[in-house]
Amino acid sequence: MTLPKIVSSEEWRAAREELLVKEKAATRARDALNAERRGLPMVEIDKEYVFEGGDGKAALLDLFEGRHQLVVYHFMFAPEWDAGCRSCSAFLDQIGHLAHLRARGTEFAAVSRAPYTKILPFKARMGWTVPWYSSYDSDFNYDFRVSVEVDDEPCERPGVSCFLRDRDRVFHTYSTYERGLDGLGSTTTLLDLTALGRQEEWEMPRGRASAVGAPAGSERIRYHDEYEE
């Protein structure tokens, strides 16, 4: 194994300061990219998808649980599999407490093509409490390009899709797949994919910070058991 070079504290600080310049540039570039993402147009969802979850049948609108936004994790779990994808499981393991997303009017749910009768015991085995729905017997996975054909063979791939709700109308705002999931999992990284973003005053475009009718930014952060619905 090749280890980092051993240097003095002074040399380390100099190298660290040099790298910090590049890190700050990357942060500014990421902020600009996030703003450009929030500037994307959106597409209204006209098709009626039917899901199955813990409370039975559900429409896409139901997955919002009354909130303004929905982040869907496309969990690879084909109907013929006996367990969910290992990489997708590792991703779901790192999802934090959903209270912080929900405080910003955003719901999170996993969706898989496997029937719910397979999802439920696997979810219990993993100890997850996040909402998880089956899209079995619907076009949802195909329409959002996570169930595809490669060399004429069916293939599943991971992804994240974001949706925005305006009363009873649902809009698709963003999707990303495979390497686009790198670095995701925290509350802020998921919010950065959405049309409303983190809802901080400094974010562009202006005017979305108070979109969910709550104080903007870090002022609304609480211990997860102190949020009010």
Side-chain angles (χ1 to χ4, degrees):
M1 181 173 61
T2 303
L3 298 176
K5 179 182 176 182
I6 299 174
V7 298
S8 67
S9 295
E10 290 75 17
E11 290 175 298
W12 181 88
R13 279 194 294 271
R16 178 68 189 94
E17 289 296 325
E18 185 177 340
L19 181 62
L20 182 60
V21 173
K22 297 178 181 178
E23 288 178 336
K24 288 184 176 181
T27 297
R28 289 191 291 270
R30 185 183 66 229
D31 288 344
L33 182 62
N34 290 339
E36 200 168 337
R37 184 185 293 115
R38 289 189 294 274
L40 283 173
M42 59 187 184
V43 177
E44 186 164 8
I45 305 298
D46 296 319
K47 186 178 289 189
E48 293 187 8
Y49 299 106
V50 177
F51 304 89
E52 185 175 2
D55 294 326
K57 301 295 183 181
L60 182 58
L61 183 64
D62 297 323
L63 273 58
F64 283 76
E65 295 288 346
R67 298 181 172 86
H68 293 271
Q69 298 193 120
L70 171 67
V71 176
V72 167
Y73 179 63
H74 300 287
F75 193 112
M76 295 168 59
F77 195 164
E80 64 272 17
W81 298 358
D82 294 323
C85 164
R86 289 183 175 87
S87 295
C88 290
S89 298
F91 182 92
L92 216 58
D93 277 337
Q94 67 188 359
I95 296 296
H97 204 291
L98 295 186
H100 301 294
L101 274 176
R102 290 167 174 167
R104 287 168 172 80
T106 304
E107 185 56 81
F108 177 91
V111 173
S112 300
R113 205 158 54 89
Y116 194 68
T117 52
K118 285 192 172 184
I119 290 174
L120 190 59
F122 184 70
K123 178 182 178 181
R125 170 188 166 188
M126 295 291 101
W128 295 324
T129 58
V130 298
W132 195 351
Y133 297 87
S134 168
S135 60
Y136 183 74
D137 216 16
S138 92
D139 295 332
F140 185 77
N141 278 48
Y142 299 99
D143 290 348
F144 289 92
R145 300 170 54 204
V146 289
S147 292
V148 296
E149 283 197 1
V150 177
D151 297 328
D152 296 323
E153 292 292 330
C155 179
E156 302 290 311
R157 66 172 179 160
V160 166
S161 292
C162 301
F163 302 89
L164 181 68
R165 181 177 67 86
D166 181 12
R167 298 179 177 85
D168 291 339
R169 301 172 70 190
V170 175
F171 301 87
H172 175 221
T173 61
Y174 184 73
S175 286
T176 189
Y177 309 95
E178 297 166 344
R179 286 297 304 275
L181 306 179
D182 287 359
L184 299 182
S186 66
T187 297
T188 51
T189 58
L190 292 175
L191 288 171
D192 283 343
L193 302 182
T194 68
L196 301 182
R198 303 183 193 188
Q199 298 147 44
E200 307 257 357
E201 294 290 357
W202 55 268
E203 285 183 308
M204 299 294 289
R206 302 292 187 193
R208 299 187 186 179
S210 58
V212 297
S218 58
E219 293 182 8
R220 79 178 65 173
I221 296 177
R222 303 285 186 269
Y223 296 111
H224 69 249
D225 60 353
E226 290 183 349
Y227 287 114
E228 295 180 5
E229 285 292 333

